[in-house]
Amino acid sequence: MGGDAGTVILIGGAFSYRKFPKMVELAQQLADEYRLTVINYDRRGRGDSSDSPGVYDVENEIDDIAALIEAVGGSAALFGWSSGAGLALLAAASGRVPGITRVVAFEPPFVVNSENFVPPADLHVKLHELIAADRRSEVVRFYMTSGMGMPRALVAMMRFTPFWKSLLATSPATAHDWAIMGSYMRGEALRAEDWNGVKVPTLVISGGKSGDLLRTAARAITEVLPDARHIEPAKLSHNPNIGLLTPPAGEFLTENA
C-alpha cells in the first residue's frame, strides 16, 4: 500500500507476522491517514518467509532490512514493535543501513533493572533445544513465561483461544527475537556507547496501561539515544488500540513531508 509522504517498514515482534491483524490495521491507517507507503513484511521464519534452522544472528535480520530499503529505493523509516523495535534500533545503530531516515520504537522490551523480571541468561539453550525438537507448544509456553515474563496461568488459557494456532506457527522464530534482545534483558542499565550510532530522529512510544517493565525500558532507551523523544499515551497498552498508536507515529513519520 502506498502514498507520497515517504516509506515506512513495519517490523513485528515475537509471534508477530505480516498478516497479524493489528499489523495490517496499522499499515492501513498509516497509508490512508498519513499517505505513507507502508512495507509490512514477514521476518525470518514467519508467514511467507523461509528460515535457516539453527542460525539465529541479528546481523542477518539487519541485512534483511537493508535489502528491503534498497528494494524500495534506498530510503525508508522503520516502525518496530516490541522486539521488532529492538531490531529497528540495532539496525539504525549498526551503521550498515544508511537509508534509514527515522525510527519509531514501540515498547522495546529492554530489561534494565531487576525490580520486575529478568529472563535467564542461558534461555537460548533450552529454547533452541525445544525448537529443534519441534515441540511448539512448549516453545510458546517457555518463551512467554521465561522470555517475556507472562503469568503461567494466562499462557495456559491461551491454548483455548483462536490465535493459539498462529502462536504455534510462529514459535520457532522466537529464537530470532532472543538473538535480538537477549543481551539487553539482563537487568543491567543500557550503555550510551551501544546506541551512539542511532543518528536519526527517534520516537519511543510506551503505553500508560503497560507494565512497569516496558515503561521503564522506554524511558531508559530514550535517555541513551542521541536524538530521541518519548511519549506515553495514557490509554495505550502493549496490545494496543491501533487508533491510539497511529496518530503519534504517523505525525512523527511525516513531520518533514
Side-chain angles (χ1 to χ4, degrees):
M1 53 189 69
D4 57 3
T7 300
V8 59
I9 297 171
L10 305 187
I11 308 173
F15 302 103
S16 183
Y17 55 102
R18 177 171 53 90
K19 294 181 181 179
F20 182 67
K22 291 204 172 187
M23 292 293 283
V24 173
E25 185 181 359
L26 175 63
Q28 195 68 58
Q29 288 193 17
L30 288 172
D32 292 347
E33 299 175 20
Y34 293 92
R35 305 190 336 273
L36 286 158
T37 295
V38 184
I39 307 301
N40 184 16
Y41 78 109
D42 281 321
R43 284 175 51 201
R44 294 186 173 220
R46 306 153 196 255
D48 295 325
S49 290
S50 60
D51 204 358
S52 301
V55 180
Y56 309 115
D57 188 338
V58 66
E59 299 300 322
N60 292 332
E61 291 219 76
I62 292 173
D63 289 342
D64 296 341
I65 292 171
L68 284 170
I69 291 179
E70 182 177 357
V72 298
S75 176
L78 305 179
F79 179 106
W81 182 338
S82 195
S83 58
L87 176 56
L89 292 167
L90 287 170
S94 71
R96 298 194 294 110
V97 195
I100 297 172
T101 58
R102 290 185 167 231
V103 175
V104 177
F106 175 49
E107 298 198 329
F110 299 110
V111 179
V112 299
N113 58 47
S114 57
E115 295 177 5
N116 295 290
F117 160 77
V118 180
D122 62 349
L123 179 142
H124 63 286
V125 176
K126 182 174 181 179
L127 179 65
H128 292 181
E129 290 175 352
L130 292 173
I131 291 171
D134 200 29
R135 293 156 62 181
R136 298 194 177 202
S137 291
E138 292 179 59
V139 172
V140 175
R141 289 194 294 269
F142 177 68
Y143 196 81
M144 285 189 166
T145 57
S146 297
M148 300 170 67
M150 294 178 63
R152 293 182 181 277
L154 177 60
V155 176
M157 290 174 59
M158 289 183 179
R159 293 187 63 186
F160 306 102
T161 64
F163 55 85
W164 181 251
K165 288 184 179 179
S166 69
L167 295 175
L168 296 179
T170 56
S171 62
T174 54
H176 293 294
D177 297 292
W178 185 252
I180 294 163
M181 295 304 308
S183 298
Y184 306 101
M185 299 180 75
R186 295 178 176 169
E188 302 169 354
L190 298 176
R191 303 184 305 170
E193 55 265 35
D194 291 337
W195 307 100
N196 285 339
V198 185
K199 305 296 187 184
V200 298
T202 302
L203 176 66
V204 181
I205 304 175
S206 56
K209 293 178 68 177
S210 293
D212 288 342
L213 187 148
L214 291 171
R215 295 165 67 191
T216 299
R219 291 191 293 270
I221 188 63
T222 303
E223 290 174 0
V224 299
L225 290 172
D227 182 8
R229 69 186 90 159
H230 171 227
I231 63 168
E232 191 169 279
K235 296 182 180 180
L236 196 66
S237 72
H238 198 63
N239 181 26
N241 178 330
I242 298 300
L244 297 177
L245 180 58
T246 302
E251 290 165 15
F252 174 76
L253 291 168
T254 57
E255 271 184 351
N256 299 323

